[in-house]
Amino acid sequence: MPEIRLPDGSVRHYPQEISGMALARDIGPGLARAAVAMRVDGQLKDLSTVVDRDADVAIVVRESPEGLEVLRHSTAHLLAQAVKALFPEAQVTIGPVIENGFFYDFSFPSHAFTPEDLQAIQVKMEELARADLPVRREEVDREAAASLFAGMGEDYKVQIIQDIPGEQPLSLYRQGDFVDLCRGPHVPRTGMLDAFALRTVSGAYWRGDARNPMLQRIYGTAWANRRDLEEYLRQLAEAERRDHRKIGAELELFSIQEDAGGGLVFWHPQGARVRRVIEDYWREMHVRSGYELLYTPHIAHEDLWFTSGHKDFYAESMFQPMEDEGQPYQLKPMNCPFHILVYKSRLRSYRELPIRWAELGTVYRHEMSGALHGLMRVRGFTQDDAHIFCRADQIEEEIAGVLALTREILGSFGFERYEINLSTRPAASVGSDGIWETATRALEGALQKAGLEYRTDEGGGAFYGPKIDLKIEDAIGRRWQCSTIQLDFNLPARFGMEYVAENGAREIPIMVHRAIFGSVERFFGVLIEHYEGRFPLWLAPVQLAVLPISEQQAEYAESVSRQLQEMGLRAEADLRNEKIGYKIRAHTLRRVPFMAVVGDREKDAGTVALRDREGHDLGTFRLTELGEKLRRMDRQRQQALTEG
RNA sequence: GCUGGCAUAGCUCAGUCGGUAGAGCGACUGAUUUGUAAUCAGUAGGUCGCGGGUUCGAUUCCUGCUGCCAGCACCA
């Protein structure tokens, strides 16, 4: 007589044991249709599981996060079944659920899956789903499982079985003639899988280890219903539309040239304008926040990098040293040692602390060729770097200051939502217990006082100190790692940095590394995708285009453009011999925020007819009025174009 | 770096079952003098990514390299 308690608090009594499916049906037919699994006393189970004692039971429906996982996992099995049906020689390995979908890795050295294969596999999967095969769980002891898969020639499955610890029986799932080793749970019938799409094939190492053979991984996505699937595919297309590499080329913002080498960025005039605006703003904000600006060299004697430890710990990411007059020089992968040298140029007093030094420092790192990606992962980039040298008791206030500055600067670019991680001391680390504790508490204190939510990654810090990482969320909800604040107990000691304390003793300062954009290149790439190239007025390379209707107003158009330029705005006149519709289209595609149309009416009245790139008619403006309005928007870094 | 795919005009792409290539957009020239997302006509522009091989002949087939794309690995 099991007594079953449901999540809503209600209790049901049954005369005998009851399966999850029967229970769901008993509660309601709608629930039964949406059910993919269930929870029995917190444990995720198949719907076929029989409950024969009192228990808390929750039916897991397809729309729930857990239900989606079950669906995706079952779709991965369906994929494997289809692949085995079409390519019996392929060996199955693992097929987990990932964000938005799933993948399955196959070992199939004799054939590389093609996009056409993927199509065929998708069709096969749909066919197997339509067949509505029952999915059955069975438990076997490990030996039986091992010999079953060995008999099928599934060597990887045998390995997986051997590596599963413990003695308990293993579970198999069968659907049609396909059988897979799996913990489950799974949907009861393949017919429940009806909203999935295969996406790409790529390579992936067995067990994620580059020393192991490479398998072929097929990625797919699966959803609770077709509508969600369509929506997801639409989002993917949206992300593709925002691709900074594509927009960067279209708008002539930047390029990466084969002749120069991968990962090296060329800023074209239009992109360079945006960068200058960003950098000017950055400098202004830093000076206002009590930073001094530095400039340091791009290379330095190799010995410096031995002192810093980079030669030991970071050598793989550094370019090879170059020799000059018998001396080895190293291209810098980081700016920190240089700022330390400036610090060490003379004796420092506690009265000088905190010292805040910032630099837009260009560094070079030897990223592996396969890692390069547009502006997001490059070999030469400019860090908006700063180092704060302070006493232990100043840490919290300094971190609070960095957080405030970071939020203000990111906010100006339309980033208001972040994900923050605090990483604490790892097992292998330098520095005393005392300093780690003081520092970690200072970071926590600064975060809490700022009212920021954060997650703690225990043991996730660098060996030299705890850190705060901040991921920004862009316009379509993607997250990007940009800002980082790291304490460093290592470099000051390695370099023998010190200051004279109040009592005359020599103390080692605390060093804080911090970057807000992280890399100017990467941040620019994120900005392009965030705004889809439609920069707000203050960042736009061209803020306003003056478009004469005909040649008759060319002179007037030029004078309008010149006057706006004299007011400090980035205006240009388009005097091409084209119709107005053509010019509007051209500048709309260039994402120019405002277009000022001038015909005879405007010329005679000394006005312009203003239009924005969204196609809104903003009416007629006198020139001075327009200039003032745009200047105000520019100064205030307004995000919405029609504000103010 | 690894696996797979791709590389044709400035861009997007078509094409050649092996006989040195074509469109649209863009650029340029001319006509038109234009009122809110493409006026018309003409011209120029390509060692078909780079090197080697097979062949009478290679952009096409084979091969090496480079670059790009997806992912893996990497990412103080």
Side-chain angles (χ1 to χ4, degrees), chain A residues 11-25:
Chain A
V11 177
R12 283 169 181 258
H13 297 271
Y14 291 96
Q16 65 226 0
E17 57 179 37
I18 182 165
S19 76
M21 202 44 176
L23 174 66
R25 262 197 299 268

Side-chain angles (χ1 to χ4, degrees), chain A residues 501-521:
Chain A
E502 205 168 355
N503 62 8
R506 301 290 171 105
E507 304 272 358
I508 302 179
I510 301 287
M511 180 173 188
V512 181
H513 308 252
R514 46 110 284 183
I516 294 172
F517 303 142
S519 137
V520 175
E521 282 76 3

Side-chain angles (χ1 to χ4, degrees), chain A residues 430-442:
Chain A
V430 301
S432 69
D433 293 351
I435 190 64
W436 272 89
E437 201 174 320
T438 308
T440 307
R441 236 186 283 118

Side-chain angles (χ1 to χ4, degrees), chain A residues 400-541:
Chain A
V402 171
L403 285 172
L405 180 62
T406 301
R407 292 171 78 185
E408 180 169 3
I409 290 181
L410 292 179
S412 293
F413 294 95
F415 299 114
E416 306 283 357
R417 296 163 63 92
Y418 331 108
E419 174 189 316
I420 301 177
N421 276 302
L422 169 68
S423 302
T424 64
R425 186 175 196 173
S429 53
V430 301
S432 69
D433 293 351
I435 190 64
W436 272 89
E437 201 174 320
T438 308
T440 307
R441 236 186 283 118
L443 294 185
E444 281 173 341
L447 283 167
Q448 282 159 9
K449 281 182 193 159
L452 291 166
E453 281 187 29
Y454 62 96
R455 256 192 24 221
T456 303
D457 178 8
E458 294 293 344
F463 74 88
Y464 51 76
K467 63 174 179 177
I468 294 172
D469 287 320
L470 205 142
K471 281 188 182 141
I472 56 181
E473 192 177 307
D474 75 9
I476 56 172
R478 293 174 303 178
R479 295 194 173 159
W480 305 91
Q481 165 77 63
C482 292
S483 313
T484 177
I485 307 170
Q486 308 189 354
L487 296 200
D488 191 335
F489 312 136
N490 181 49
L491 283 181
R494 286 189 82 108
F495 276 94
M497 296 174 77
E498 52 184 33
Y499 63 91
V500 180
E502 205 168 355
N503 62 8
R506 301 290 171 105
E507 304 272 358
I508 302 179
I510 301 287
M511 180 173 188
V512 181
H513 308 252
R514 46 110 284 183
I516 294 172
F517 303 142
S519 137
V520 175
E521 282 76 3
R522 184 179 154 81
F523 189 74
F524 185 46
V526 172
L527 273 186
I528 293 170
E529 304 213 352
H530 177 58
Y531 289 125
E532 200 238 312
R534 294 160 63 255
F535 295 109
L537 184 86
W538 76 285
L539 290 170

Side-chain angles (χ1 to χ4, degrees), chain A residues 376-393:
Chain A
M376 304 302 188
R377 194 84 178 267
V378 292
R379 285 182 172 153
F381 60 95
T382 301
Q383 286 184 307
D384 68 316
D385 213 353
H387 297 95
I388 297 172
F389 304 102
C390 64
R391 304 187 309 257
D393 62 286

